[in-house]
Amino acid sequence: MRTIPARRRIATGLLVATLLGTAGCGNVYQPPPVASPRPVGAQQPASPRVSREVPECDARRSLAADPARPRKFVEQGYIRAGVDQTMTRMTHRDPATGEFKGFDIDLLREIAKELFPDRDPRDTIRFVVVTSAERQERLRDGTVDIVADSMTATCERATEVAFSTDYLDSGQTVLVRGDSPYHGIGDLGGKPVCAATGTTSIGHLTDRPEKPVPVSVPNWTDCLVMLQQRQVEAISTDHNVLLGLQDLDPSTRLVTTPPLTRPNGDTSCDWHVGPKSACTWFSDEPHAIAFRQEDIAFVKFVNHVLQKLRDNGRWAEMHRTWLPEHPDNGPPPARYGPNPVWPPGL
């Protein structure tokens, strides 16, 4: 066996000791931190909102209910429904089963039961995943027949698509990290706040007097990732959507914010959902189902189904299942009548 000379053993020991000592002093090279990648399609600041001049209207109004099943879809044998896959309480795809679930999904199944009474609704709905920015276009180009996607009925959108009666009242608020110092939208001036592209939420952020910096992304879960990676300070959208994001990350915290002052100076809460909301929302978001404007019979039929769900308690059952802590005042009453923004014939 070859013996290592004593001098070499001593030199080797000194080298090891030197290296260990250097490591102990914290002088070992550390690679620079790598910034977390941003979601594909993220824009900061979000593209400016391009609004069109439209007449004032009551966005909650729709066509009178009619129980007649629309022949077009009865003969087609199915409906193509545009839905999101990232809103846990409203429309999402269960990662374990691949099945779509949520409040809006249950609404679609109730519509399918009435439209095809002798068939399983799972066989009569073809789900098509759409982002918030794609909803109107996918209706107009015929990709989908109906959109149930936590969509707010607005006068501007009503010039492009037809809406059902209001089926859920909600409003915009804010979700922050659990360790965040923020207590509402008023604390977020100059801070990056995330919302999905193509939503009313981006517009409301742009209009806020505090001037948060809107950050837009294709999907709501992209916002959650950016919040977790500290690329944004908050997510802001409808309360019902934020509840679903909070389910995905229970360490987050919902904060409350007073509403915007109306043009007449009124700051009360009863202008959208009543005192139960305790002034926690700063926008009015009547949720409605969207259709192509020419599908008048389908709009009327769905309004009939929605009224039936209000009357027979099924709406309340769905609400208890998916939105038990959502601070609305129950099923919104249907409003029927013409709107000045509707095209001739509606």
Side-chain angles (χ1 to χ4, degrees):
M1 178 178 178
R2 184 180 177 186
T3 303
I4 299 176
R7 183 178 296 175
R8 185 181 298 178
R9 291 200 303 271
I10 293 171
T12 302
L14 289 172
L15 176 60
V16 171
T18 301
L19 290 174
L20 290 174
T22 301
C25 293
N27 294 325
V28 174
Y29 171 75
Q30 296 289 340
V34 178
S36 300
R38 297 166 70 85
V40 175
Q43 292 187 17
Q44 180 179 343
S47 299
R49 179 172 58 165
V50 179
S51 297
R52 293 176 288 108
E53 289 292 331
V54 296
E56 290 188 9
C57 78
D58 180 352
R60 286 178 166 83
R61 287 196 177 195
S62 185
L63 303 173
D66 187 341
R69 293 186 296 152
R71 181 177 177 181
K72 171 182 176 179
F73 295 103
V74 171
E75 292 179 351
Q76 180 173 283
Y78 59 88
I79 54 174
R80 296 165 298 176
V83 297
D84 194 283
Q85 62 178 349
T86 65
M87 292 190 290
T88 304
R89 300 291 186 98
M90 302 301 291
T91 65
H92 75 283
R93 194 195 298 266
D94 187 321
T97 65
E99 183 182 5
F100 283 95
K101 295 181 178 179
F103 188 93
D104 285 337
I105 302 302
D106 282 357
L107 273 182
L108 287 167
R109 292 200 170 111
E110 294 296 329
I111 293 166
K113 286 178 187 177
E114 293 288 324
L115 187 57
F116 308 105
D118 300 324
R119 298 173 61 191
D120 189 324
R122 290 174 295 185
D123 299 330
T124 57
I125 305 174
R126 298 184 181 181
F127 292 109
V128 179
V129 175
V130 296
T131 65
S132 297
E134 297 171 334
R135 295 177 293 198
Q136 290 103 295
E137 184 61 31
R138 295 292 82 81
L139 279 168
R140 292 196 303 266
D141 69 16
T143 301
V144 299
D145 304 310
I146 185 172
V147 169
D149 185 41
S150 192
M151 189 173 182
T152 300
T154 69
C155 297
E156 184 173 346
R157 287 173 173 172
T159 64
E160 300 179 338
V161 298
F163 283 111
S164 71
T165 54
D166 174 18
Y167 69 83
L168 178 71
D169 281 324
S170 193
Q172 190 164 341
T173 187
V174 177
L175 185 74
V176 297
R177 291 182 295 273
D179 60 358
S180 167
Y182 308 115
H183 299 285
I185 192 67
D187 298 330
L188 290 162
K191 306 295 184 183
V193 180
C194 190
T197 306
T199 60
T200 56
S201 306
I202 287 288
H204 293 318
L205 289 174
T206 302
D207 294 341
R208 287 297 301 184
E210 301 87 358
K211 299 302 179 187
V213 179
V215 179
S216 63
V217 292
N219 298 296
W220 287 111
T221 45
D222 294 332
C223 276
L224 185 60
V225 170
M226 293 189 78
L227 183 69
Q228 293 167 332
Q229 294 180 161
R230 299 182 180 271
Q231 295 169 330
V232 297
E233 293 300 316
I235 306 169
S236 184
T237 188
D238 302 351
H239 195 142
N240 54 303
V241 176
L242 293 180
L243 286 172
L245 293 177
Q246 193 173 34
D247 289 343
L248 297 176
D249 186 350
S251 71
T252 55
R253 176 170 55 88
L254 271 166
V255 297
T256 59
T257 304
L260 285 172
T261 302
R262 301 174 75 195
N264 64 1
D266 180 15
T267 59
S268 65
C269 293
D270 57 6
W271 59 277
H272 50 85
V273 296
K276 187 178 176 184
S277 71
C279 294
T280 61
W281 300 337
F282 60 87
S283 72
D284 182 20
E285 308 293 332
H287 286 36
I289 298 170
F291 312 82
R292 285 185 293 274
Q293 289 186 333
E294 61 266 29
D295 288 332
I296 295 174
F298 197 16
V299 179
K300 292 181 175 182
F301 175 76
V302 168
N303 283 342
H304 160 73
V305 176
L306 292 176
Q307 189 58 51
K308 186 174 180 178
L309 299 179
R310 295 183 187 101
D311 294 340
N312 66 13
R314 176 65 178 132
W315 186 98
E317 180 184 344
M318 291 160 48
H319 194 277
R320 286 192 298 270
T321 298
W322 296 108
L323 299 167
E325 66 272 65
H326 186 260
D328 56 73
N329 273 352
R335 296 184 189 175
Y336 303 119
N339 260 327
V341 297
W342 293 346
L346 280 183

